Amino acid sequence: MTRKAKRLYSIGAMVLVVGAAAGLVLTALSSSVAYFQSPTDLVKNQPGPAQRIRLGGLVEDGSVKRDGSSHVTFRVTDSVDSVPVTYTGILPDLFREGQGVIAEGTLGPDRVFVADTVLAKHDEKYMPKEVVDDLKARGLWEDGKGLVQKPEKTVSAAPAGAGS
């Protein structure tokens, strides 16, 4: 084998090893990826039953219901659509109606989002970047002013047994 052939063979082997390693890393990470979706995206596109999602928007005014234990239901809205959310656990201290929130979990067959993690804003000026980007794209957010239009339209969850 000539020097040129050895060098070409070595480079090819390195590219193959790096490609295989990258493929293994991406495969391992794909199971833990949670895709960000707004309520409108979730209403339009039905995700798979086991697909993890990060639902972002604003907690709809008047929607928070507590049952006396650690179980809470509320609605997340992007001022176009809203999605019912159920969560069991301790909510962040700054969680309240009208504020930005990201809930991570899965969408149940009854179209109710079952969250296992809820993140709330941490001060008066903070809104999760994904939520701000989505609201800006819809023309509902201005830098320095915040939300320029309050949510109006809501979408109810499908009745129990619908689509079965």
Side-chain angles (χ1 to χ4, degrees):
M1 228 188 222
T2 65
R3 286 178 68 194
K4 189 175 183 180
K6 285 182 184 178
R7 189 177 322 136
L8 190 58
Y9 179 73
S10 297
I11 291 173
M14 283 190 280
V15 167
L16 184 65
V17 168
V18 169
L24 289 172
V25 168
L26 292 175
T27 301
L29 291 177
S30 68
S31 63
S32 64
V33 171
Y35 297 101
F36 174 80
Q37 305 226 346
S38 70
T40 300
D41 295 335
L42 210 54
V43 168
K44 287 180 183 175
N45 306 319
Q46 175 78 22
Q51 182 179 354
R52 290 197 50 80
I53 303 165
R54 292 184 117 193
L55 174 65
L58 302 171
V59 178
E60 191 173 273
D61 290 331
S63 70
V64 178
K65 308 263 186 292
R66 300 172 195 265
D67 70 357
S69 67
S70 61
H71 184 77
V72 181
T73 59
F74 57 95
R75 297 182 75 84
V76 174
T77 184
D78 60 2
S79 70
V80 176
D81 289 309
S82 75
V83 173
V85 177
T86 181
Y87 175 71
T88 301
I90 299 172
L91 288 168
D93 290 338
L94 297 174
F95 175 89
R96 62 183 175 268
E97 295 175 353
Q99 298 299 319
V101 67
I102 291 183
E104 190 170 329
T106 58
L107 188 64
D110 56 356
R111 308 274 304 151
V112 173
F113 189 81
V114 180
D116 53 40
T117 305
V118 174
L119 306 171
K121 67 182 199 119
H122 61 74
D123 69 22
E124 289 302 315
K125 297 187 191 248
Y126 177 76
M127 175 77 73
K129 181 181 180 331
E130 296 95 341
V131 175
V132 171
D133 292 344
D134 189 59
L135 291 172
K136 278 183 185 178
R138 297 175 197 283
L140 302 171
W141 183 272
E142 291 181 17
D143 288 330
K145 289 185 180 178
L147 190 64
V148 294
Q149 176 183 339
K150 282 287 185 188
E152 295 172 6
K153 180 183 174 191
T154 61
V155 175
S156 297
S164 300

